[in-house]
Amino acid sequence: MAFYVKVGNVPPKRHITFYKDDGTSLYREELFSTKGFSGIYSNKYHIYMPTQVEKIGEYPIDHWDDWPDAPLQYYHFFTDEKKTTGDIITSRNAFLKNVNCVISTANVSEDSDIFFRNSFAHELLFVHRGKGKFLSEYGTLPFEQWDYIVVPKGTTYQMKFEDYNDVKLFIIESSTPFDIPRHFRNEYGQLTEDAPYYERDFKVPQFTDPIDELGSFELNLKVRDRHFRYILPHHPFDVVGWDGFLYPYTFNLQEYAPKVGKIHLPPPVHLMFTTQHFVVCNFVPRLFDFHPQSIPAPYYHSNVDSDEVLYYVHGDFMSRKGVKEGSITLHPMGIPHGPQPGKTEASIGVKETDEYAVMIDTFQPLRVTKNVKETMVENYSQSWLAE
Ligand SMILES: [Fe+2]
C-alpha cells in the first residue's frame, strides 16, 4: 500500500531487543518483505517464533480442471452456474489461468477453523456478496459487499462471514503484487490530486489483542495447485504489533471516482491496480461522453497484446447482450472485439450508465478451464452475426 501504518506495540527502533513483560524473554521480530529486501515491507513482532511447525502433510487434489483443447474464440460464461459448497478454500472454482494469474469464484457456504496462506500468490478478493471480518496476524479488517480485499502473498488469514446463505467471491491470484499505479502517486508515494481514489478510501486492519495460545492449529498453505497441511504449535495470530507498508487492506468499488471525456476514453482511464503481468480496471456508474456526436459504446478494437476479462457485478452493461450478474466474458488477443449488434446505435444520445464491472487485461494468454466449458454460452462467438 502507498502509506505507512503502525499498529499495536512495537519497539522504538527496528532490529533491537524487545522484551516481554517478564523482562528476559524476547518478542520475535519478523521482517515481511517483497522483492528480497528492496520492496515494501512490514516488521511484525510475535510472541512465538513464526518458523515453528510440528507436522507437514499435503491435502489430496480431488480434481483437475484443465481444458487442453479449448478453441481460441470469444467466451461468455455464467460463474453462478458453477455453485459448489465449502469453505474459503474448498469452494473455489478456477475459470481462467496462466502462469501469472488465476481467476476463480467461490460460493463460500461454511465456516472453517483452518487458517489459510497463499504462499505463491498475492490475492485480490472481490466480495460480490457477503459481509464479515477478515482476520490475520495484522488484526481485523471488516469487509462488506463490493469490497476488494488485497492480500499480500504469504499472509495467514481466515474469513468469517456474518452468514453463509449467499456469499460470492471473485478471486484474482497474482504472482506479483497488486500495486497502486505509479502515475496515481507523487514522488513521495502520496496519491495525487487527480487519482480516482484517496488514502481515506483504503481501510487498514484494526488492532486486535494477540492470541497467546498453545495447541494444534491447522494451516492450509497453497503453492500453485498444491495445498500443504501444516500443523502449528501455537496460534498464528500472536502478533503484539507491526508497522510498515505491507499489509492487507480493503477498498470498496463504489468509492472509485471515474473520469469522463468529451469523446470515448479507453479503459486505462478506469485503472484500479497494476501488476507486472496484468491490470485491473473498474467500470462504475458515470456520465457518458459529452461531444454532441459522441458514441458512448466502445469502437471495435484489437488489443493484440492483451486478453480481456470482464466480470459483471451489477447493472445494465451497455455493450453486451445477455450478460447478467456473475457473467464473465473473455475476449482473447489475436481477434478483434466490440459491441454486439444494435448496441452501438442504442448508446448514441444516452447520458449515463449504472454499470458495475471489474476488468482484467492480461499480457499473456489465459487458458480456459473445464469450468468454462460447463457454464459457457454456446455460439457466443457467432452472436455478432445476428444484426
Ligand atoms: Fe476491450
Side-chain angles (χ1 to χ4, degrees):
M1 191 45 213
F3 53 84
Y4 173 80
V5 172
K6 185 170 83 170
V7 168
N9 289 321
V10 300
K13 287 183 78 67
R14 56 191 170 176
H15 318 327
I16 62 171
T17 56
F18 182 27
Y19 288 105
K20 297 177 186 172
D21 287 346
D22 64 12
T24 55
S25 50
L26 288 163
Y27 287 113
R28 303 298 179 178
E29 184 183 56
E30 178 196 6
L31 172 74
F32 195 75
S33 69
T34 57
K35 299 179 184 170
F37 291 89
S38 306
I40 60 169
Y41 60 92
S42 291
N43 276 301
K44 297 186 274 195
Y45 296 88
H46 296 270
I47 295 171
Y48 301 99
M49 284 184 275
T51 44
Q52 290 180 334
V53 57
E54 276 182 354
K55 271 191 218 162
I56 298 174
E58 185 167 2
Y59 299 97
I61 296 174
D62 60 2
H63 68 282
W64 292 98
D65 53 18
D66 288 352
W67 179 16
D69 55 349
L72 176 78
Q73 63 177 38
Y74 308 114
Y75 288 93
H76 172 201
F77 49 97
F78 300 113
T79 62
D80 281 348
E81 289 187 6
K82 184 71 189 180
K83 272 190 180 151
T84 46
T85 55
D87 61 25
I88 58 165
I89 308 307
T90 56
S91 64
R92 292 186 181 199
N93 288 304
F95 287 91
L96 302 168
K97 291 179 172 181
N98 66 24
V99 292
N100 311 118
C101 110
V102 179
I103 297 172
S104 316
T105 62
N107 294 92
V108 185
S109 63
E110 59 193 56
D111 190 15
S112 172
D113 289 331
I114 299 173
F115 297 88
F116 179 58
R117 181 190 300 159
N118 196 327
S119 284
F120 270 37
H122 304 262
E123 292 188 341
L124 183 62
L125 309 170
F126 177 73
V127 183
H128 194 158
R129 295 188 294 276
K131 185 178 184 184
K133 288 180 176 165
F134 179 93
L135 310 177
S136 73
E137 62 265 59
Y138 295 91
T140 299
L141 195 53
F143 63 80
E144 59 185 11
Q145 179 174 290
W146 299 6
D147 269 345
Y148 286 111
I149 309 173
V150 180
V151 187
K153 183 191 293 183
T155 301
T156 303
Y157 71 85
Q158 291 180 323
M159 288 179 81
K160 302 290 179 187
F161 291 87
E162 283 188 6
D163 77 64
Y164 289 84
N165 290 325
D166 185 22
V167 172
K168 171 83 180 287
L169 301 177
F170 174 60
I171 301 166
I172 310 164
E173 292 174 66
S174 172
S175 59
T176 59
F178 292 93
D179 284 326
I180 303 298
R182 182 69 193 89
H183 61 282
F184 292 162
R185 292 176 284 147
N186 64 24
E187 64 187 298
Y188 304 100
Q190 185 181 20
L191 292 168
T192 57
E193 266 292 302
D194 60 349
Y197 34 60
Y198 186 56
E199 276 84 355
R200 286 178 219 166
D201 297 328
F202 295 89
K203 310 300 182 202
V204 303
Q206 301 162 357
F207 178 70
T208 38
D209 286 329
I211 301 174
D212 184 356
E213 208 177 306
L214 298 174
S216 184
F217 299 89
E218 184 173 345
L219 171 69
N220 185 326
L221 191 148
K222 185 173 192 281
V223 176
R224 295 201 182 91
D225 285 334
R226 298 175 70 186
H227 287 258
F228 292 91
R229 183 171 181 267
Y230 275 40
I231 302 298
L232 310 177
H234 59 80
H235 198 290
F237 301 164
D238 67 337
V239 170
V240 297
W242 62 270
D243 74 337
F245 283 63
L246 186 59
Y247 47 82
Y249 60 88
T250 63
F251 176 89
N252 194 278
L253 183 61
Q254 293 176 95
E255 301 300 337
Y256 192 83
K259 291 175 184 169
V260 297
K262 189 170 184 178
I263 54 173
H264 190 85
L265 295 172
V269 80
H270 306 290
L271 199 56
M272 177 72 210
F273 296 110
T274 52
T275 73
Q276 287 182 35
H277 304 289
F278 63 91
V279 297
V280 179
C281 296
N282 293 329
F283 288 98
V284 298
R286 61 195 182 279
L287 298 177
F288 274 145
D289 323 314
F290 52 87
H291 187 284
Q293 293 172 276
S294 69
I295 301 177
Y299 31 79
Y300 294 91
H301 49 289
S302 291
N303 298 119
V304 295
D305 296 319
S306 300
D307 270 15
E308 181 189 286
V309 178
L310 266 162
Y311 178 74
Y312 298 85
V313 176
H314 182 77
D316 180 21
F317 208 75
M318 57 144 166
S319 63
R320 199 72 50 214
K321 286 179 185 168
V323 295
K324 51 188 184 184
E325 280 193 25
S327 280
I328 288 182
T329 54
L330 167 66
H331 295 117
M333 61 180 75
I335 46 179
H337 64 266
Q340 286 174 302
K343 284 291 191 178
T344 302
E345 291 81 355
S347 76
I348 296 169
V350 178
K351 299 297 181 200
E352 59 187 322
T353 173
D354 69 343
E355 68 196 15
Y356 285 92
V358 176
M359 188 178 86
I360 302 143
D361 268 13
T362 68
F363 310 144
Q364 294 291 328
L366 288 159
R367 288 180 286 113
V368 297
T369 68
K370 284 181 184 161
N371 291 325
V372 173
K373 193 175 189 179
E374 286 173 23
T375 58
M376 63 191 253
V377 176
E378 293 295 333
N379 301 321
Y380 174 62
S381 282
Q382 285 74 43
S383 64
W384 281 263
L385 292 173
E387 190 146 12

